[in-house]
Amino acid sequence: MRNEINDYQNVTKNTIGLLMISISISLLLILLVGWLTVGGHMSAYIIFNGIALITFISFFMMLLVSLYTYFRICYNKSVSVLILKWTKHSLKWIYPFLKMVGKLIKRDKNDVRKAFTLLNNKLTMSECKSYHGKDILLVTPHCLQKAHCSIKVTNSIALCQECGMCNVGDLKYLQQTYGVQCDVVTGGTLARKRIKEKKPKLIIAIACERDLVSGLMDVKGIPVYAIINERPEGPCYNTIVQKKEVEDIIKYFLRGEKK
């Protein structure tokens, strides 16, 4: 959760900026194509603009509802279950468009990804559900393990010797202390397999921004809380996660308390 606090201001500005640019581009496209179509083809012009208008209004409503929900949650205001569900569904439609716009304006891809994970986390936390430890699955990529370690914890985290050289031992400790499930995976395919096998009711995923967004887009019907890892030695190599951050969020969902 400390990562979220540190990134909050930048992510908020980037999110709002991208949403406003998305709206502007949508309007310009409607006007441009309408102008190209109108010459001598009034019926086509009317049909096209009718479809475009309905599409734009639907998308614009998703943006407005998402912004409304985002700020309500940020200021600890209550949000109805219906709006929460709408926002969760609309996010997966909005993100690819925001990604495209971010690329056009040369915005750092990770800023857009952080915005997506931040809003997802706030939506997940705002539902304020309480879970049993056995219903929570911690998932992390194998790059959390030191590259020189000879033990394959992807087979089972129980094999970890807890030498203290990496955070895998911390996750093993959290698994034993809180009764959560925990898996170290080699990639998305194995992660999906473990999720299917273990059928968790909540997933706490640790990874880089790119992999987290990919997982959030891929997982259906299960709430996911995303924790961005630290990469002092570069991507996919000897990554780090703060034990306290993971432990705090486990406690949050075990109690189901509001913050």
Side-chain angles (χ1 to χ4, degrees), residues 4-21:
E4 288 187 24
I5 295 171
N6 293 335
D7 292 329
Y8 179 77
Q9 290 183 337
N10 288 333
V11 168
T12 302
K13 290 177 182 177
N14 288 329
T15 305
I16 294 172
L18 288 173
L19 289 175
M20 293 304 101
I21 290 169

Side-chain angles (χ1 to χ4, degrees), residues 196-230:
K196 187 175 180 180
E197 289 172 351
K198 299 193 173 182
K199 298 180 173 61
K201 295 180 180 177
L202 171 74
I203 299 168
I204 300 175
I206 303 164
C208 63
E209 294 90 340
R210 183 189 64 183
D211 290 347
L212 285 173
V213 169
S214 176
L216 289 171
M217 298 291 284
D218 193 44
V219 173
K220 305 288 192 301
I222 305 173
V224 180
Y225 186 92
I227 297 177
I228 299 171
N229 61 16
E230 299 173 24

Side-chain angles (χ1 to χ4, degrees), residues 44-57:
Y45 170 76
I46 293 171
I47 292 170
F48 170 80
N49 278 278
I51 295 171
L53 184 61
I54 292 170
T55 303
F56 173 74
I57 290 173

Side-chain angles (χ1 to χ4, degrees), residues 107-119:
R107 181 72 68 179
D108 187 344
K109 289 183 288 187
N110 281 339
D111 284 339
V112 182
R113 291 165 178 160
K114 283 179 184 177
F116 184 76
T117 57
L118 175 63
L119 182 50

Side-chain angles (χ1 to χ4, degrees), residues 19-258:
L19 289 175
M20 293 304 101
I21 290 169
S22 301
I23 293 169
S24 301
I25 290 176
S26 298
L27 283 170
L28 286 172
L29 285 173
I30 290 172
L31 292 172
L32 175 62
V33 179
W35 179 74
L36 292 173
T37 310
V38 70
H41 302 283
M42 183 57 70
S43 58
Y45 170 76
I46 293 171
I47 292 170
F48 170 80
N49 278 278
I51 295 171
L53 184 61
I54 292 170
T55 303
F56 173 74
I57 290 173
S58 300
F59 186 74
F60 185 67
M61 288 300 297
M62 284 193 287
L63 293 176
L64 286 180
V65 171
S66 297
L67 274 176
Y68 169 80
T69 308
Y70 179 68
F71 284 109
R72 292 284 294 182
I73 291 171
C74 286
Y75 288 99
N76 296 316
K77 303 292 185 180
S78 61
V79 182
S80 72
V81 176
L82 183 62
I83 291 178
L84 282 174
K85 287 182 177 179
W86 170 276
T87 305
K88 275 197 166 186
H89 287 300
S90 65
L91 277 180
K92 295 190 178 184
W93 290 94
I94 291 170
Y95 175 73
F97 188 75
L98 294 182
K99 182 180 175 183
M100 179 186 70
V101 174
K103 188 174 182 179
L104 287 173
I105 64 173
K106 298 182 179 178
R107 181 72 68 179
D108 187 344
K109 289 183 288 187
N110 281 339
D111 284 339
V112 182
R113 291 165 178 160
K114 283 179 184 177
F116 184 76
T117 57
L118 175 63
L119 182 50
N120 171 83
N121 287 350
K122 289 198 172 287
L123 286 168
T124 301
M125 293 175 74
S126 69
E127 292 180 343
C128 197
K129 291 182 179 179
S130 181
Y131 299 88
H132 296 294
K134 62 184 176 63
D135 295 324
I136 299 174
L137 175 62
L138 277 175
V139 182
T140 185
H142 67 97
C143 59
L144 197 69
Q145 184 181 24
K146 284 294 182 184
H148 59 73
C149 185
S150 59
I151 300 170
K152 280 189 67 73
V153 292
T154 50
N155 292 329
S156 171
I157 198 171
L159 297 173
C160 174
Q161 300 300 301
E162 300 179 70
C163 66
M165 295 297 292
C166 70
N167 292 127
V168 175
D170 293 332
L171 298 188
K172 181 181 177 182
Y173 165 81
L174 295 175
Q175 180 190 43
Q176 294 171 339
T177 303
Y178 298 102
V180 299
Q181 304 181 74
C182 186
D183 272 308
V184 181
V185 298
T186 53
T189 301
L190 183 56
R192 286 189 291 271
K193 182 174 182 289
R194 296 285 168 82
I195 291 168
K196 187 175 180 180
E197 289 172 351
K198 299 193 173 182
K199 298 180 173 61
K201 295 180 180 177
L202 171 74
I203 299 168
I204 300 175
I206 303 164
C208 63
E209 294 90 340
R210 183 189 64 183
D211 290 347
L212 285 173
V213 169
S214 176
L216 289 171
M217 298 291 284
D218 193 44
V219 173
K220 305 288 192 301
I222 305 173
V224 180
Y225 186 92
I227 297 177
I228 299 171
N229 61 16
E230 299 173 24
R231 304 179 289 278
E233 297 182 51
C236 303
Y237 188 81
N238 294 342
T239 57
I240 297 171
V241 68
Q242 297 300 320
K243 175 186 173 184
K244 188 177 186 309
E245 183 176 6
V246 182
E247 186 170 20
D248 284 349
I249 201 61
I250 290 173
K251 289 179 178 178
Y252 180 95
F253 285 113
L254 286 176
R255 292 196 299 263
E257 65 177 358
K258 284 192 176 180

